[in-house]
Amino acid sequence: MGHGIVTGFDGSARSEAAVGWAAADAARQGEPLRIVHAWPWLGSAWSDGPAAAPHRGALEELEGLADRLRGTHPGLDVVTEAVADDPADALLARAAEHRLVVLGSRGLGGFAGLLVGSVGLAVAARSTTPVVLVRDGAPAAPAGAADRPEIVVGVAGESSAAVLEFAFAEAERRGARVRAVHGWEAVPFWTAAGWMPPQEDVELRGAELMDVLTKALAPVRAAHPGVEAVAETRTGGAAHALVAASAQADLVVVGRRQHRLGTRLGAVAHAAIHHCTAPVAVVPHD
């Protein structure tokens, strides 16, 4: 695992929110922050044309933003970098050298993107390093809805080990608690009122899944004994359960399977990114 945080900036409010969140997290952990501005035509003949105006403005904002961050977080090591490259490729090339990638996200309808709307999606789907997507308006240093911040993590079988480790490690760093959620669909049956699940079956299946979830949490709880953790199962499916549980979360953690055909995110990750108001961490796993 690399060290420090890399984030992208394109002059938009969404990317500025992501940079602010990344700076607060880097300062909290005593890690360096690298801010990347990527522009395909940087340094070329295009840099003097009309298409370069947003790029020049973003560079000026980038330097001003870095100065403000150093003032807000004294001692924070901030490095800025402007590169002539596709934004997604530039960020992916630097991802492996860092612990975390942080990018802006529109949520509810798409990704902010750096110059193009697909950058956040492309990086989250292809990065071997966890990617956090931050919505515009998200606080740079969330305080949680209660006395302690909370991290919500979606749990889906044995493949969740790496996702759980990330969630518990982040909770340990932040002094947060973990809410581990498993969502499932109840099998309905037909009545005069329509399709309904038998209540006794729901309760039995819920108890069985809670036992499985508790066992899945045992190793990571043992590895992080100081982290308070709550386990819960919810009906309505994995995506619905995760979004519902995240209403007051400071960070939502979902998994993304690696080595799949293509570079697509799963349905649960998409639901979290589009519908959770909290920042969403997408964690790759085998």
Side-chain angles (χ1 to χ4, degrees):
M1 179 183 292
H3 179 64
I5 298 175
V6 61
T7 184
F9 180 73
D10 66 355
S12 69
R14 290 178 294 273
S15 67
E16 186 166 349
V19 170
W21 193 94
D25 199 57
R28 181 168 44 242
Q29 308 305 329
E31 294 181 322
L33 174 67
R34 177 176 295 274
I35 309 174
V36 177
H37 172 71
W39 184 267
W41 307 297
L42 184 65
S44 72
W46 285 95
S47 62
D48 292 327
H55 151 65
R56 287 195 297 268
L59 283 180
E60 293 172 0
E61 291 185 48
L62 175 61
E63 291 306 318
L65 178 58
D67 288 341
R68 293 196 300 274
L69 292 175
R70 295 184 183 103
T72 303
H73 306 286
L76 176 64
D77 180 6
V78 182
V79 175
T80 62
E81 182 181 9
V83 295
D85 199 356
D86 173 80
D89 290 343
L91 289 159
L92 286 166
R94 289 154 180 79
E97 304 169 5
H98 295 82
R99 177 179 64 85
L100 206 61
V101 181
V102 180
L103 297 174
S105 168
R106 284 195 185 102
L108 293 176
F111 292 84
L114 301 173
L115 308 179
V116 294
S118 61
V119 172
L121 177 60
V123 175
R126 295 161 56 194
S127 175
T128 57
T129 298
V131 176
V132 175
L133 295 166
V134 179
R135 297 266 290 273
D136 183 12
D147 58 333
R148 292 184 68 184
E150 182 169 277
I151 293 175
V152 170
V153 56
V155 185
E158 295 179 359
S159 64
S160 297
V163 182
L164 284 171
E165 173 57 32
F166 177 89
F168 272 72
E170 286 298 309
E172 196 166 63
R173 291 187 182 100
R174 300 164 180 264
R177 60 172 155 258
V178 171
R179 183 174 300 275
V181 179
H182 176 79
W184 61 287
E185 293 279 6
V187 179
F189 71 102
W190 177 255
T191 70
W195 289 98
M196 297 179 60
Q199 187 60 34
E200 60 272 19
D201 288 353
V202 171
E203 293 174 354
L204 177 61
R205 182 58 177 158
E208 291 174 347
L209 289 172
M210 178 58 77
D211 183 59
V212 173
L213 179 56
T214 301
K215 290 178 180 176
L217 289 174
V220 72
R221 275 177 161 159
H224 303 275
V227 175
E228 177 188 351
V230 177
E232 62 180 52
T233 64
R234 295 182 177 226
T235 57
H240 173 79
L242 186 64
V243 172
S246 70
Q248 296 181 321
D250 295 82
L251 181 67
V252 177
V253 181
V254 295
R256 174 186 65 80
R257 188 178 295 278
Q258 298 187 95
H259 310 305
R260 296 175 63 179
L261 293 176
T263 56
R264 297 173 56 191
L265 292 168
V268 175
H270 267 295
I273 292 164
H274 286 269
H275 298 288
C276 291
T277 56
V280 177
V282 181
V283 180
H285 62 83
D286 295 329

